[in-house]
Amino acid sequence: MVEPSPEHARLAQQIVDAAFAVHSALGPGLLESVYERCVGYELEARKIPYERQVALPVRYRDVRIDAGYRMDLLVGGLVVLEIKAIEKILPVHEA
């Protein structure tokens, strides 16, 4: 296993802190879109660059296909953050 660089580790910790701040303030039970926007707000407040709903095309036989996949948040151009508002993580969520 490759150890993350100090930059990656610092960014990951900031993301966890931002997500925890949102969860602590709002608690469970809201739509994923609400948590997504609030995490974005927290990232902005921490001056961490991010993009919301970034298209993720599928490559099939050297063809780029827009299949409607979207990354919830792409943070710092390095970390994909997928927001889940569920009671329990199931195997289907691990993709």
Side-chain angles (χ1 to χ4, degrees), residues 40-89:
Y41 176 85
E42 280 294 324
L43 294 171
E44 282 180 26
R46 297 160 194 256
K47 301 194 181 346
I48 301 169
Y50 74 95
E51 297 174 75
R52 286 185 58 239
Q53 294 298 312
V54 178
L56 183 62
V58 173
R59 299 292 272 165
Y60 178 73
R61 294 186 178 203
D62 297 327
V63 175
R64 182 179 175 191
I65 299 171
D66 183 1
Y69 286 121
R70 301 248 177 235
M71 293 180 272
D72 290 342
L73 297 168
L74 178 60
V75 184
L78 298 170
V79 177
V80 175
L81 186 59
E82 180 68 21
I83 306 293
K84 290 293 170 212
I86 54 176
E87 190 172 320
K88 181 179 177 184
I89 299 289

